[in-house]
């Protein structure tokens, strides 16, 4: 056996390659089933993963399509102050009202409150109190009514000061469509609430006449800038436009150079005038009056893009780092491992906070959060790749390729790296829900703030809704549902991917 | 074994030192608010800053390298973490921190008391009924509960149990009377929200481990030599599965102290979590340093405990397992 050991003494220059053929494989002559195709074949077998991927697809389509096509004139006007008149409206659909998706909520009202809403109903003709379920009396003798209240119409009136053009335009629109927006001005004695068009005491409690009807306090004198549009029922001006006791529809303020009109505007129909459609928000509106349906889609789109970007960056850095570590081994590996050991042990919340404190002012909160995710996120990728390299670099086929003259780079990325493709794909898919979850937790805690008029994230929406959990749960419900669906389906999808790429691990959790 | 433990602990201390040094330098590089800014009577804060070696006697900053040296010698070695500068002005950070710690620990202990038995029972039951409908129900439930973020349970618990059904108060009682009945009652929503995820985690892990053991050959041997199914399960399968489950429970317990941050905030628990968040919003850097050190130690300790207990229970495993992809 001594002869065979002698190879060490042969000088290197005596070796030469037997031929100049490249060390690449020959092409298969038959149809080949590739790695990905094989994995897809196995993935299809897993029913729950298929369902999960359909759900993910729906969520992704929602995030892509809605901001592109479902934006309305309302949701597009991002900094409109009229938003503030349409806050906390409940989810409402046109066709699924029988499911209870009708923008109404059940509330307990005192008799005075009930009258207040009944008055809006009487004046405008819109349903406000949809139903009174029953009543109960409290210990101190008051009567409470359980009523179903329409959040859209019970929104009521507001005073709005219009310029001459706006006033004319609104009147013209009223004439054209026959929808009443401006309601008669009232003699404000005690109460400044625009909803109280009837006799009431200082607290706004209606003083009814003998038959139990409201007594109106419409203004019948003064200038209203020759209002010449729709008049409400019972207005003497209906028969004779010049009648002395006709209702006045505005209070004129300002001097002759710039006249302005203070009008009582019904919010519901004003919305139609302003935005061209009836207010109907599928997911309702939030505390700032923003449409949750489009806002959530925009937030979801941001969260998806953000998470995918991080996943790709981590994949890239991690596989480079892991490949170098695993392939060269030795002292280099030891040093690089210690570095990643230290990085992986920093609590993520501390990293995120430090980046926020240092970088947020310079590069913005989004970038600083992205750097925080990248700083520690690549390590799990690197350790996966490193493990695969350790497992495969000593194998005979690698040795064979090296003997045929394959370079380090070729060995690393053509021969060894593809072995880790499966775990890498699984890993980088599972980064996405992880990032979205961490982002939402950090935003929820108020450590980062991604909210602006043009941008939001799912976590921001959750954080903004938490104050209204008890009173308006719909604000927090949709973002919470979205993120729960996303996490569940991504986990199922990830399991399916793992089973497809590594059939040996099938069924093992974690 | 002793050598292994010492090696691990030394490595942990080194990691801790590097992380906390990085934190210190990054914090000190931030524009620091001078103590005088907060009001007239900041002499105590200033005094302590001088004693910590962060400023000289006139209140001027001293070079960063020297500050760092003082930080190592005074803060790390003697535990002088300074006084709060904007949150609880003038109070000792360590004292405040220690007064907040019981609430956090108690909350987690209660959560574990719920989660461990329930999680193990569900996991064992699912493993024994593998691929029957009971298993499918439990596995589906576990899948859902593992995936859904804990704050979503917290919302549900708060909305349905606290607000609609009025079973519990919306937030936890303040005060330090931790063992009174009303305090326990007010803690329950937070405990339930915390326990959900852990129950699901334990159930999944137990099921996975136990099914693996149940299909092994030595169990078949135990059955062939005449033991009943209950006997094999109890004496052979469970004990062997516990080798892996027990360390996980220990590590989870340590880890959960750091993980209850968001739940503590939702239910306004007077614990460490809100303190950390407040210290960030109030830019109270002494608190931030102390709590960062706390969370780092928690993370390191749970990792090392997991490794060591594997090593103790099963001497074949002495390899460090690494946290994978956990943010």
């Amino acid at each position: 056996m001594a002869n065979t050991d002698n190879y060490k003494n042969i000088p290197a220059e005596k070796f030469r390659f037997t031929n100049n053929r490249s060390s690449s494989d020959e092409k298969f002559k038959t149809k080949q089933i590739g790695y990905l195709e094989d994995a897809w074949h196995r993935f299809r077998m897993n029913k729950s993963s298929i369902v999960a991927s359909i759900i993910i697809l729906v969520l992704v389509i929602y995030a892509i399509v809605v901001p592109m096509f479902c934006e309305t004139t309302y949701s597009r006007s991002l900094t409109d102050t009229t938003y503030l008149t349409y806050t906390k409206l409940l989810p409402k659909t046109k066709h699924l009202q029988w499911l209870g998706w009708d923008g109404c909520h059940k509330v307990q009202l005192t008799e005075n409150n009930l009258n207040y809403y009944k008055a809006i109903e009487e004046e405008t003709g819109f349903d406000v109190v949809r139903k009174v379920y029953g009543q109960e009396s409290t210990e101190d003798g008051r009567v409470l009514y359980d009523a179903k209240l329409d959040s859209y119409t019970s929104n009521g009136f507001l005073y709005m000061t219009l310029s001459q053009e706006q006033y004319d335009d609104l009147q013209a629109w009223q004439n054209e469509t026959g929808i009443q927006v401006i309601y008669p001005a009232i003699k404000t004695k005690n109460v400044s609430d625009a909803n109280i068009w009837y006799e009431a005491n200082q607290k706004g409690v209606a003083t009814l006449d003998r038959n139990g009807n409201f007594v109106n306090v419409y203004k019948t004198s003064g200038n209203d800038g020759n209002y010449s549009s729709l008049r409400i029922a019972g207005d003497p001006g209906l028969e004779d436009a010049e009648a002395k006791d006709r209702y006045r529809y505005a209070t004129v303020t300002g001097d002759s150079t710039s006249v302005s009109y203070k009008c009582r505007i019904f919010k519901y129909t004003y919305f139609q005038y302003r935005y061209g459609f009836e207010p109907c928000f599928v997911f309702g509106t939030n505390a700032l009056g923003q449409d949750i349906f489009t806002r959530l889609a925009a937030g979801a789109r941001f969260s998806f893009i953000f998470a995918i970007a991080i996943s790709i960056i981590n994949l890239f850095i991690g596989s480079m780092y892991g490949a170098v570590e695993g392939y060269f081994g030795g002292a280099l590996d030891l040093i690089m491992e210690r570095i990643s050991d230290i990085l992986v042990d920093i609590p993520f919340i501390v990293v995120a906070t430090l980046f926020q404190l240092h970088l947020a002012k310079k590069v913005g909160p989004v970038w600083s959060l992205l750097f925080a995710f990248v700083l520690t996120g690549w390590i799990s990728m690197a350790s996966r790749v490193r493990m695969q390299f350790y497992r495969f670099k000593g194998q005979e086929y690698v040795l064979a390729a090296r003997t045929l003259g394959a370079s380090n780079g070729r060995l690393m990325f053509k021969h060894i790296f593809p072995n880790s493709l499966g775990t890498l794909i699984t890993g980088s898919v599972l980064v996405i829900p992880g990032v979205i979850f961490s982002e939402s937790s950090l935003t929820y805690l108020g450590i980062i703030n991604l909210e602006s008029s043009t941008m939001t994230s799912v976590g921001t929406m959750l954080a903004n809704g938490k104050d209204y959990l008890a009173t308006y749960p719909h604000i927090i419900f949709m973002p919470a549902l979205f993120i729960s669906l996303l996490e569940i389906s991504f986990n199922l999808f990830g399991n399916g991917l793992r089973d497809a790429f590594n059939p040996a691990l099938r069924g093992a959790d974690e | 074994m002793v050598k292994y433990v010492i090696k691990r602990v030394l490595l942990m201390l080194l990691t801790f030192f590097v992380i906390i040094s990085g934190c210190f330098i990054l914090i000190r590089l931030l524009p620091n608010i001078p103590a005088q800014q907060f009001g007239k009577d900041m002499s105590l804060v200033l005094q302590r800053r001088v004693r910590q070696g962060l400023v000289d006697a006139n209140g001027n900053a001293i070079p960063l390298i020297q500050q760092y040296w003082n930080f190592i010698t005074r803060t790390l070695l003697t535990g002088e973490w300074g006084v709060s500068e904007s949150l609880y002005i003038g109070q000792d950070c360590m004292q405040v921190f220690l007064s907040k710690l019981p609430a956090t620990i108690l909350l987690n202990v209660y959560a574990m008391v719920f989660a461990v038995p329930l999680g193990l029972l569900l996991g064992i039951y699912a493993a024994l009924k593998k691929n029957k409908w009971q298993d499918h129900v439990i596995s589906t439930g576990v899948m859902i509960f593992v995936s859904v973020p804990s704050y979503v349970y917290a919302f549900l618990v708060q909305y349905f149990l606290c607000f609609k059904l009025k079973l519990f108060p919306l937030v936890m009682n303040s005060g330090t009377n931790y063992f009174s009945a009303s305090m326990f009652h007010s803690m329950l929503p937070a405990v339930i929200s915390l326990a959900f995820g852990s129950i699901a985690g334990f159930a999944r892990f137990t099921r996975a481990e136990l099914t693996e053991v149940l299909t092994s050959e030595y169990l078949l041997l135990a059955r062939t030599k005449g033991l009943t199914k209950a006997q094999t399960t109890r004496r052979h399968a469970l004990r062997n599965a516990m080798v892996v489950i027990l360390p996980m429970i220990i590590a989870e317990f340590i880890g959960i102290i750091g993980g209850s941050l968001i739940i503590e905030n939702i239910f306004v628990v007077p614990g460490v979590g809100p303190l950390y968040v407040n210290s960030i919003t109030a830019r109270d850097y002494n608190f931030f340093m102390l709590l960062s050190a706390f969370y780092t130690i928690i993370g390191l300790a749970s990792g090392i405990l997991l490794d060591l207990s594997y090593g103790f229970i099963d001497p074949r495993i002495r390899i460090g397992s690494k946290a994978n992809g956990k943010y």
Side-chain angles (χ1 to χ4, degrees):
Chain A
M1 301 307 269
N3 287 348
T4 47
D5 283 344
N6 230 2
Y7 68 87
K8 281 180 186 159
N9 300 327
I10 305 172
E13 63 269 16
K14 283 210 169 179
F15 284 103
R16 71 181 168 78
F17 291 113
T18 51
N19 52 29
N20 293 327
R21 217 177 53 199
S22 80
S23 52
S24 313
D25 297 331
E26 269 178 52
K27 280 266 175 294
F28 280 123
K29 299 236 163 47
T30 52
K31 184 179 177 290
Q32 51 176 323
I33 293 183
Y35 183 56
L36 291 174
E37 212 172 329
D38 201 26
W40 165 236
H41 196 75
R42 281 193 293 267
F43 185 79
R44 266 186 316 195
M45 301 302 199
N46 193 337
K47 262 181 254 152
S48 64
S49 303
I50 291 290
V51 173
S53 37
I54 290 171
I55 295 176
I56 293 174
L57 202 67
V58 169
L59 295 181
V60 170
I61 287 174
Y62 167 71
I64 294 173
V65 169
V66 168
M68 282 166 92
F69 299 112
C70 300
E71 291 273 352
T72 56
T73 41
Y74 182 73
S75 58
R76 228 177 269 128
S77 53
L78 290 162
T79 47
D80 197 333
T81 44
T82 38
Y83 269 26
L84 295 171
T85 51
Y86 302 105
T87 58
K88 299 168 204 158
L89 297 179
L90 297 172
K92 178 181 177 181
T93 52
K94 286 204 178 77
H95 307 295
L96 293 171
Q97 301 228 344
W98 47 273
L99 271 175
W101 204 338
D102 53 2
C104 299
H105 53 154
K106 211 176 142 186
V107 282
Q108 245 185 2
L109 300 171
T110 61
E111 177 138 32
N112 296 336
N113 284 338
L114 192 67
N115 276 341
Y116 180 86
Y117 291 119
K118 282 249 168 90
I120 299 175
E121 198 168 277
E122 190 176 317
E123 189 178 24
T124 62
F126 282 94
D127 275 340
V128 178
V129 183
R130 290 279 185 95
K131 209 185 216 170
V132 179
Y133 296 105
Q135 59 189 67
E136 53 176 291
S137 21
T138 57
E139 284 165 19
D140 53 346
R142 287 182 307 153
V143 182
L144 290 177
Y145 295 89
D146 285 323
K148 190 178 174 192
L149 203 61
D150 189 322
S151 65
Y152 286 76
T153 49
S154 65
N155 216 349
F157 295 87
L158 85 159
Y159 282 119
M160 198 175 240
T161 309
L162 303 174
S163 69
Q164 182 73 52
E165 295 101 68
Q166 287 170 330
Y167 189 52
D168 293 341
D169 190 52
L170 194 48
Q171 286 188 43
W173 186 81
Q174 283 197 121
N175 288 335
E176 197 182 306
T177 57
I179 298 170
Q180 185 99 35
V181 177
I182 307 176
Y183 282 79
I186 45 183
K187 291 179 241 170
T188 43
K189 283 182 298 187
N190 309 320
V191 196
S192 60
D193 188 337
N195 291 321
I196 297 178
W197 55 272
Y198 42 83
E199 285 282 0
N201 67 8
Q202 252 171 335
K203 284 180 180 165
V205 176
T207 323
L208 303 175
D209 70 3
R210 227 173 291 141
N211 303 327
N213 293 324
F214 296 104
V215 183
N216 74 54
V217 285
Y218 294 134
K219 227 174 174 180
T220 51
S221 61
N223 182 8
D224 65 358
N226 294 326
Y227 178 79
S228 57
S229 182
L230 300 181
R231 291 173 177 278
I232 63 164
D235 186 348
L238 271 177
E239 283 147 29
D240 173 14
E242 293 302 317
K244 268 224 150 23
D245 56 348
R246 66 179 198 274
Y247 298 160
R248 303 300 199 268
Y249 284 77
T251 317
V252 180
T253 52
D255 51 32
S256 54
T257 50
S258 63
V259 193
S260 50
Y261 299 89
K262 191 183 170 199
C263 303
R264 262 178 85 225
I265 302 273
F266 186 45
K267 291 178 189 171
Y268 189 86
T269 46
Y270 179 72
F271 189 100
Q272 283 175 282
Y273 159 70
R274 176 80 184 249
Y275 300 108
F277 61 100
E278 274 190 66
C280 180
F281 298 107
V282 182
F283 293 171
T285 59
N286 66 13
L288 289 173
Q290 291 150 335
D291 175 17
I292 294 177
F293 182 70
T294 49
R295 193 99 176 134
L296 180 62
R301 185 177 59 175
F302 166 77
S303 295
F304 273 128
I305 294 175
F306 188 69
I308 290 171
I310 286 168
S311 168
I312 290 171
I313 297 172
N314 284 350
L315 179 67
F316 187 73
I317 300 178
S319 47
M320 287 294 162
Y321 195 92
V324 171
E325 266 187 311
Y327 186 74
F328 293 106
L332 186 72
D333 176 40
L334 202 70
I335 295 166
M336 289 172 89
E337 262 304 275
R338 287 293 85 74
I339 294 173
S340 62
D341 267 350
I342 288 171
L343 283 177
V344 85
D345 280 326
I346 312 176
F348 179 66
I349 187 158
V350 175
V351 179
T353 316
L354 283 173
F355 270 83
Q356 201 61 25
L357 292 174
H358 270 281
L359 285 175
K361 283 216 184 78
K362 288 175 199 146
V363 295
V366 177
W367 287 102
S368 75
L369 187 63
L370 188 120
F371 290 144
F373 272 115
V374 168
L375 181 76
T376 55
W378 54 269
I379 293 169
S380 64
M381 292 289 173
S383 66
R384 279 165 211 262
V385 176
R386 176 176 173 270
M387 203 177 76
Q388 297 293 332
F389 266 77
Y390 263 99
R391 187 187 292 168
F392 289 102
K393 74 174 177 185
Q395 294 208 349
E396 282 79 4
Y397 80 93
V398 178
L399 191 64
R402 193 199 297 276
T403 326
L404 285 172
S407 66
N408 276 341
R410 191 183 164 82
L411 281 177
M412 278 161 83
F413 291 104
K414 183 83 188 173
H415 291 282
I416 308 179
F417 185 73
N419 288 306
S420 49
L421 213 60
T423 67
L424 279 187
I425 292 174
T426 316
S428 37
V429 164
L430 287 177
V431 164
I432 296 170
V435 167
I436 293 178
F437 171 69
S438 305
E439 179 269 318
S440 65
S441 312
L442 287 173
T443 330
Y444 187 87
L445 290 172
I447 292 173
I448 50 171
N449 180 17
L450 301 174
E451 175 83 353
S452 73
S453 62
T454 49
M455 196 181 69
T456 189
S457 73
V458 183
T460 318
M461 298 190 70
L462 285 168
N464 291 343
K466 70 181 166 189
D467 298 335
Y468 307 98
L469 180 65
T471 42
Y472 295 95
H474 75 274
I475 298 178
I476 207 163
F477 177 74
M478 279 304 166
L481 181 72
F482 177 85
I483 206 158
S484 308
L485 266 182
L486 188 86
E487 298 287 329
I488 294 171
S489 44
F490 258 106
N491 272 340
L492 285 173
F493 180 67
N495 281 354
L497 274 187
R498 186 201 53 206
D499 293 349
F501 281 116
N502 312 310
L505 293 179
R506 187 192 296 270
D509 281 304
E510 200 61 61
Chain B
M1 190 68 203
V2 179
K3 204 177 147 195
Y4 173 70
V5 173
I6 291 173
K7 201 177 130 197
R8 290 286 317 199
V9 170
L10 281 181
L11 208 65
M12 177 191 131
L13 287 179
L14 182 75
T15 312
F16 173 73
F17 180 72
V18 172
I19 292 174
I20 207 71
S21 300
C23 264
F24 176 80
I25 290 166
L26 284 175
I27 283 292
R28 286 292 145 195
L29 284 179
L30 284 172
N32 212 338
I33 315 153
Q36 291 89 331
Q37 193 186 310
F38 296 110
K40 286 162 201 154
D41 194 29
M42 293 301 287
S43 50
L44 181 63
V45 171
L46 196 65
Q47 252 175 43
R48 290 290 288 269
R49 275 198 182 186
V50 174
R51 212 160 82 200
Q52 272 179 279
L54 301 178
V55 291
D56 65 15
N58 298 326
N60 299 320
I62 54 177
L64 191 63
I65 299 282
Q66 204 174 345
Q67 282 188 38
Y68 178 53
W69 175 248
N70 290 334
F71 172 72
I72 295 170
T73 51
R74 299 185 200 179
T75 304
L76 286 187
L77 294 182
T78 61
E80 173 110 6
W81 287 92
V83 292
S84 170
E85 295 183 4
S86 54
L87 208 55
Y88 298 86
I89 298 175
Q91 292 189 43
D92 190 278
C93 282
M94 200 64 182
Q95 301 272 307
V96 176
F97 168 69
L98 288 179
S99 75
K100 299 269 182 188
L101 200 54
T104 300
I105 290 185
L106 205 63
L107 186 68
N108 288 296
V109 169
Y110 284 148
M112 291 302 272
V113 167
F114 273 97
V116 171
L118 271 176
L120 291 189
L121 280 179
L122 282 176
I124 292 168
Y125 188 69
L128 292 178
K129 299 274 177 195
K130 190 173 157 57
N131 290 336
K132 298 207 177 94
W133 67 266
Q134 294 98 326
D135 176 39
H136 291 306
V137 169
I138 291 176
S139 297
T140 314
V142 159
M143 190 66 218
I144 291 169
F145 280 113
V146 160
S147 311
V148 173
S150 60
Y151 49 78
V152 175
Y153 310 130
F155 296 147
L156 293 177
V157 166
Q158 209 171 28
Y159 185 68
F160 287 107
L161 299 186
C162 304
F163 180 70
K164 281 273 161 179
L165 299 174
K166 297 197 168 53
L167 292 177
F168 305 104
L170 272 177
V171 296
M172 193 177 140
N173 294 356
S174 49
T176 50
N177 190 8
Y178 291 120
F179 294 99
S180 68
S182 80
M183 180 60 98
F184 178 70
H185 183 238
S186 73
M187 256 178 158
L188 267 181
V191 171
I192 294 171
S193 323
L194 253 181
F196 265 132
S198 304
I199 292 174
F202 286 137
R204 178 163 86 163
F205 197 72
T206 310
R207 180 187 171 276
E209 281 306 317
L210 200 58
T211 35
E212 204 186 306
V213 176
L214 281 174
T215 48
S216 62
E217 280 166 2
Y218 63 79
L219 223 73
L220 194 66
L221 176 74
R223 287 302 300 277
T224 34
K225 81 181 182 194
L227 295 185
T228 63
K229 197 170 180 204
Q231 279 172 323
T232 52
T233 312
R234 208 170 53 243
R235 291 192 199 153
H236 294 262
L238 263 182
R239 277 195 192 176
N240 277 301
M242 276 302 156
V243 170
V244 198
I245 296 167
L246 209 62
M248 189 218 163
I249 294 175
I250 300 169
E252 173 91 5
F253 175 67
I254 299 283
I256 208 175
I257 293 180
S260 61
L261 206 82
I262 202 160
I263 300 285
E264 283 181 40
N265 268 285
I266 291 174
F267 292 101
V268 203
V269 175
V272 181
L275 188 66
Y276 182 76
V277 175
N278 291 340
S279 80
I280 294 166
T281 36
R283 298 281 190 278
D284 199 322
Y285 296 136
N286 282 343
F287 264 129
F288 180 75
M289 280 303 296
L290 175 60
L291 293 175
S292 298
F294 171 70
Y295 282 119
T296 311
I297 287 194
I298 292 286
L300 289 170
S302 80
I304 201 171
L305 226 71
L306 188 68
D307 281 0
L308 290 186
S309 46
Y310 273 137
F312 273 121
I313 294 171
D314 185 351
R316 285 171 305 174
I317 318 165
R318 293 267 161 94
I319 320 146
S321 74
K322 210 167 174 184
N324 40 357
K326 223 174 157 188
Y327 285 117

